[in-house]
Amino acid sequence: MNVEEWEIRPGGMLVQRRNSESNQTSVQVPTIKVRVKYGSTYHEVCINSIASFGELKKMLAEHTGLHHQDQKLIYKKKERDSKLYLDVAGVKNGSKMVLVEDIASQERRCLEMIQNAKIEKASKSLSQIRLQVDKLAEQVTVLEASASRGERITDNLIGMLMTELVKLDEIAIEGDLKLQKRMQERRVQKCIEILDMLKLNSKAGKIPLQKKDKIPKPLQKHQVQSKQRNLTEQRSSAATTNGTFTICRGHDKMGNF
């Protein structure tokens, strides 16, 4: 047994060594030359005999400048599908074909290009608006915290949010991008509602107690004690006055008697 003709597989099995050359097919696929008429011009293309009509269209696109999706290949008075193979259709060396421009396919492709361009533009606009809304939402959060400390609310931020809302309304899209658009609209509307509520609370004077009670607590206690002392003095003075008046009246009666 020749050791060089055997090898050990990873599982430990001893098998005959594989030859990479033996796996290669000895049959070579022939190359054929086809002649394609496009308008008044003939184009000769060398291609593999087992290639498809779609591959032939891509090669013809280089010669004619016509997009491969906008081509119709007619062989033996029949339009051939791009997935069909040349040898299956009976194409041989020297076969002749006719190339015709597919107007309907060209229109569909143009519409798809326009639609894709609109989607790409809308997606870019949404991304820009989303970044701007993120910044404005952060400002709303900061302003909400400032309002809790009694600071004044301005209308500048609301105007900026309304501008972004108008931009969103001008974007006309469908599908997944439409859901993203609605989400951004809800975010903007929520921020505007928060600002409106803060403004109403500010106008109504609903300020936290720590801001409304500007007098220090020790001073308030002193004032309360002073008021109580004044009230006590007033009551004492009133009682003294009433007693004097009563004694005087008693003296008069005794004198008259």
Side-chain angles (χ1 to χ4, degrees):
M1 183 178 62
N2 191 356
V3 179
E4 295 179 356
E5 297 180 357
W6 299 86
E7 64 178 353
I8 299 177
R9 294 286 180 87
M13 182 180 295
L14 185 64
V15 296
Q16 188 174 4
R17 185 180 298 277
R18 293 168 294 183
N19 188 358
S20 58
E21 296 180 358
S22 62
N23 295 329
Q24 297 178 356
T25 177
S26 58
V27 180
Q28 295 183 356
V29 180
T31 300
I32 60 175
K33 182 183 293 184
V34 294
R35 195 176 187 192
V36 182
K37 180 182 179 183
Y38 176 57
S40 58
T41 308
Y42 287 89
H43 300 277
E44 291 186 350
V45 180
C46 295
I47 191 171
N48 197 311
S49 62
I50 60 174
S52 64
F53 280 89
E55 293 173 321
L56 178 59
K57 288 180 179 180
K58 291 179 181 180
M59 296 181 67
L60 288 171
E62 300 176 0
H63 293 276
T64 62
L66 185 63
H67 196 275
H68 66 92
Q69 294 181 355
D70 301 338
Q71 299 178 12
K72 281 184 178 181
L73 275 178
I74 300 175
Y75 177 63
K76 293 184 177 180
K77 300 182 180 180
K78 289 183 180 180
E79 181 184 355
R80 304 296 176 168
D81 188 82
S82 297
K83 297 180 180 180
L84 183 63
Y85 292 99
L86 298 177
D87 57 343
V88 175
V91 179
K92 299 178 181 179
N93 188 34
S95 296
K96 297 180 181 179
M97 302 181 190
V98 178
L99 176 63
V100 181
E101 185 177 359
D102 190 351
I103 303 299
S105 177
Q106 189 176 26
E107 291 177 352
R108 286 195 302 268
R109 193 170 60 84
C110 290
L111 290 175
E112 289 178 0
M113 291 176 60
I114 294 173
Q115 186 67 19
N116 292 335
K118 287 182 178 179
I119 293 174
E120 184 178 357
K121 182 179 178 181
S123 178
K124 185 177 180 180
S125 300
L126 276 176
S127 298
Q128 294 175 351
I129 292 174
R130 182 171 60 251
L131 293 175
Q132 186 66 19
V133 172
D134 289 341
K135 295 179 182 179
L136 295 176
E138 291 179 0
Q139 296 182 25
V140 170
T141 303
V142 174
L143 193 59
E144 190 175 6
S146 301
S148 65
R149 297 192 295 268
E151 298 183 13
R152 186 178 177 184
I153 308 299
T154 60
D155 295 333
N156 295 335
L157 195 54
I158 296 179
M160 296 172 68
L161 287 167
M162 291 298 297
T163 300
E164 299 302 320
L165 198 61
V166 171
K167 291 180 182 179
L168 286 169
D169 187 61
E170 292 176 351
I171 299 177
I173 48 178
E174 298 291 339
D176 295 338
L177 291 179
K178 191 172 184 179
L179 297 177
Q180 297 181 20
K181 174 184 173 182
R182 288 179 179 176
M183 184 177 67
Q184 296 304 319
E185 289 175 345
R186 290 169 185 163
R187 289 185 63 197
V188 174
Q189 291 171 356
K190 185 177 179 180
C191 291
I192 293 175
E193 290 174 359
I194 292 174
L195 292 175
D196 288 339
M197 185 61 65
L198 293 176
K199 286 183 62 179
L200 290 175
N201 292 341
S202 178
K203 290 180 180 179
K206 294 181 179 179
I207 306 174
L209 294 177
Q210 61 269 20
K211 284 295 179 180
K212 192 173 183 179
D213 298 336
K214 298 180 180 179
I215 302 175
K217 290 185 178 180
L219 186 58
Q220 286 184 352
K221 185 177 180 180
H222 175 72
Q223 285 188 348
V224 171
Q225 291 177 354
S226 177
K227 288 182 180 180
Q228 289 178 352
R229 186 166 56 252
N230 292 336
L231 183 59
T232 302
E233 291 176 357
Q234 290 177 2
R235 288 178 180 176
S236 299
S237 177
T240 304
T241 303
N242 291 337
T244 304
F245 179 73
T246 304
I247 294 171
C248 292
R249 288 185 62 187
H251 178 72
D252 290 343
K253 288 181 181 181
M254 290 175 64
N256 292 334
F257 177 76

